[in-house]
């Protein structure tokens, strides 16, 4: 296996602490959380105590101020262990950066320490029943009334929807301005008129709380606007490469973990009086998958390096998201096949990974949207 050079020794020490934490505090309980439809909220507080939440937050706001590679390690270890219910990635990689990068000093002082400790959980409300990857089609409105924004609309498929204490709402502040009329506004749970719908029942990621959110004449302070009015679409475009990098990191970590487990399984499984691992088809399939994962891992690591350097652009992140999630689904499908009938049983990790992986090609922009981004870049 090609040595990974993106991480330093201190990163690997951090990885060990994350892995041990997950083995003790999450893995034994995840099956129950899948039945519950969400993880135990106390897990967030325990993770905060260990410094696993939003590690990139600067020290002045209660964080440790490290680079995104620490986020990636948390993502990899959660995916490696198949703990798909844990929504730390959405919080640390997506939600918190919007507030850190575009929020006022007052908002950062108010919220950042609580994001680090796990006292508060973030969510971002982009998707609507009639607008998925089309962020310009958002219908949720925010109208300025004196010193308050009045928000009306609904969102769906919102990760961390049940646990969220602070939601970044994508809303139209000028319905006639197209993309330039979009803004990002913070809404706290418990604000009058803001209601969380029931926890949605999904094909996979069953322990991940995913909800509809409803806003009826929700009033929040004018200062809850992130950045400038009308700049929301631009902010979303600026942050999406990191989100897609996060998806890619998860995808390849999951694919590698399932392949490694499958290698062990076929060594033990017998068919026609011999180990399944001795069949040429098995060896060819494993060789193909290992080669593709190795190649993709190199690309993931290079994108991670570029991102740390501030150089990961939109089309490259789109290529990563497209390649990694397509490969993840392919690898897990082939590995399930090598498990035979047992691969279809929920008790086997490959079955849960198969169900969990499918959403990866949909959220953070569908893979069809990734192709459009890449294609337009080529033709410009």
């Amino acid at each position: 296996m090609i040595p990974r050079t993106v991480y330093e020794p201190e990163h690997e020490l951090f990885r060990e602490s994350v892995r041990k934490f997950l083995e003790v505090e999450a893995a034994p309980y995840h099956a129950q959380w899948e039945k519950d439809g969400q993880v135990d909220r106390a897990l967030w507080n325990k993770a905060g105590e260990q410094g696993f939440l939003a590690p990139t937050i600067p020290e002045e706001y209660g964080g440790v101020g490290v680079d995104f590679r620490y986020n990636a390690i948390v993502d990899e270890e959660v995916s490696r262990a198949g703990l798909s219910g844990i929504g730390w990635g959405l919080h640390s990689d997506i939600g918190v950066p919007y507030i850190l990068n575009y929020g006022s000093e007052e908002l950062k002082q108010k919220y950042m320490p609580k994001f680090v400790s796990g006292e508060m959980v973030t969510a971002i409300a982009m998707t609507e029943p009639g607008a998925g990857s089309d962020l310009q089609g958002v219908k949720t409105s925010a109208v300025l009334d004196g010193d308050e924004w009045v928000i009306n609309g609904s969102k769906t498929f919102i990760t961390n929807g049940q646990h969220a204490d602070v939601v970044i709402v994508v809303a139209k502040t000028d319905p006639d301005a197209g993309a330039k009329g979009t803004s990002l506004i913070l809404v706290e749970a418990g604000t009058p008129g803001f209601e969380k719908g029931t926890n949605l029942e999904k094909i996979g990621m069953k322990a991940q709380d995913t909800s509809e959110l409803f806003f009826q004449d929700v009033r929040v302070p004018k200062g809850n606007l992130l950045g400038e009015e009308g700049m929301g679409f631009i902010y979303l475009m600026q942050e999406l490469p990191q989100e897609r990098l996060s998806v890619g990191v998860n995808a390849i970590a999951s694919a590698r973990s399932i392949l490694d487990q499958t290698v062990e399984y076929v060594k033990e499984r017998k068919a026609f009086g011999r180990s399944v691992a001795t069949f040429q088809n098995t060896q060819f399939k494993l060789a193909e998958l290992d080669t593709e994962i190795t190649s993709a891992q190199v690309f993931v690591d290079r994108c991670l390096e570029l991102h740390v350097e501030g150089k990961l652009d939109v089309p490259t992140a789109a290529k990563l998201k497209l390649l990694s999630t397509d490969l993840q689904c392919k690898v897990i499908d082939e590995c399930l096949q090598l498990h035979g009938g047992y691969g279809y049983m929920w008790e086997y990790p490959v079955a849960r990974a198969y169900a969990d992986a499918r959403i990866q090609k949909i959220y953070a922009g569908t893979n069809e949207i990734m192709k459009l981004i890449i294609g337009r870049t080529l033709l410009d």
Side-chain angles (χ1 to χ4, degrees):
M1 188 174 295
I2 297 175
R4 301 180 68 188
T5 58
V6 67
Y7 296 118
E8 304 293 340
E10 59 267 27
H11 292 111
E12 297 305 333
L13 288 173
F14 180 72
R15 183 189 302 280
E16 281 301 309
S17 64
V18 174
R19 183 174 296 186
K20 289 176 182 177
F21 176 88
L22 294 173
E23 288 174 351
V24 173
E25 300 290 351
Y29 312 107
H30 200 264
Q32 182 59 49
W33 294 339
E34 288 181 334
K35 295 175 183 177
D36 297 339
Q38 56 187 298
V39 305
D40 186 343
R41 183 64 174 77
L43 182 72
W44 286 84
N45 304 101
K46 292 177 181 178
E49 291 172 3
Q50 300 299 316
F52 300 153
L53 300 178
T56 55
I57 288 179
E59 293 182 23
E60 63 194 281
Y61 302 120
V64 289
V66 292
D67 64 55
F68 190 79
R69 285 176 291 180
Y70 287 84
N71 293 48
I73 287 168
V74 174
D75 294 340
E76 287 178 348
E77 290 306 307
V78 169
S79 290
R80 186 193 65 82
L83 303 172
S84 59
I86 297 177
W88 300 344
L90 187 285
H91 175 78
S92 301
D93 303 355
I94 302 169
V96 169
Y98 278 101
I99 303 170
L100 181 63
N101 293 336
Y102 309 112
S104 65
E105 184 63 25
E106 181 182 355
L107 290 175
K108 287 187 277 193
Q109 293 284 355
K110 179 180 180 180
Y111 291 122
M112 290 298 153
K114 295 178 181 179
F115 294 157
V116 173
S117 69
E119 182 181 345
M120 299 190 87
V121 173
T122 64
I124 181 162
M126 294 190 204
T127 304
E128 296 183 358
S133 294
D134 178 18
L135 295 176
Q136 297 187 56
V138 166
K139 300 298 184 185
T140 297
S141 64
V143 178
L144 196 58
D145 181 20
D147 290 331
E148 294 180 319
W149 292 102
V150 182
I151 303 172
N152 283 281
S154 64
K155 301 289 183 176
T156 194
F157 311 143
I158 307 306
T159 302
N160 291 347
Q162 295 293 312
H163 284 318
D165 301 288
V166 179
V167 178
I168 303 159
V169 180
V170 179
K172 279 291 179 67
T173 47
D174 184 349
D176 299 321
K180 294 181 180 179
T182 305
S183 301
L184 308 182
I185 302 172
L186 298 187
V187 178
E188 283 196 30
T191 303
F194 172 31
E195 300 291 338
K196 298 177 179 180
T198 56
N199 206 8
L200 299 173
E201 189 172 359
K202 308 179 295 297
I203 290 175
M205 301 189 79
K206 293 180 178 294
Q208 170 57 253
D209 57 306
T210 308
S211 310
E212 292 179 302
L213 303 179
F214 303 98
F215 306 88
Q216 184 172 356
D217 295 327
V218 176
R219 289 181 171 269
V220 299
K222 184 178 180 180
N224 279 25
L225 176 73
L226 293 183
E228 299 178 31
E229 182 181 347
M231 289 289 288
F233 189 78
I234 292 175
Y235 297 154
L236 291 168
M237 294 303 102
Q238 289 173 343
E239 296 300 314
L240 278 171
Q242 178 165 298
E243 180 176 350
R244 289 164 183 162
L245 171 61
S246 179
V247 171
V249 166
N250 278 289
I252 300 307
S254 173
R256 170 55 67 187
S257 177
I258 293 300
L259 180 62
D260 289 346
Q261 292 176 55
T262 302
V263 169
E264 294 306 312
Y265 177 82
V266 297
K267 289 178 183 177
E268 299 171 2
R269 180 69 176 161
K270 297 288 194 299
F272 303 102
R274 50 194 282 209
S275 166
V276 173
T278 64
F279 294 113
Q280 187 182 67
N281 178 69
T282 302
Q283 294 175 13
F284 279 13
K285 283 294 181 185
L286 293 175
E288 291 168 5
L289 298 178
D290 181 62
T291 300
E292 291 182 75
I293 293 172
T294 300
S295 301
Q297 186 70 73
V298 174
F299 186 33
V300 169
D301 288 355
R302 181 58 186 140
C303 288
L304 186 52
E305 290 172 343
L306 286 171
H307 187 54
V308 170
E309 296 167 2
K311 298 177 181 177
L312 181 63
D313 59 25
V314 170
T316 303
K319 293 174 187 177
L320 175 62
K321 200 266 182 182
L322 173 64
L323 181 148
S324 63
T325 56
D326 277 354
L327 180 58
Q328 177 188 14
C329 290
K330 174 186 174 181
V331 167
I332 295 172
D333 181 64
E334 295 280 16
C335 287
L336 191 152
Q337 188 74 14
L338 289 172
H339 277 72
Y342 288 102
Y344 204 65
M345 298 298 106
W346 193 252
E347 65 187 276
Y348 279 77
V350 70
R352 297 196 295 277
Y354 182 84
D356 291 341
R358 189 57 184 83
I359 189 62
Q360 291 267 89
K361 296 199 286 186
I362 298 174
Y363 58 24
T366 65
N367 281 12
E368 288 73 22
I369 295 294
M370 299 305 100
K371 292 175 184 178
L372 282 175
I373 293 169
I374 298 162
R376 286 171 181 169
T377 303
L378 292 172
L379 297 172
D380 280 349

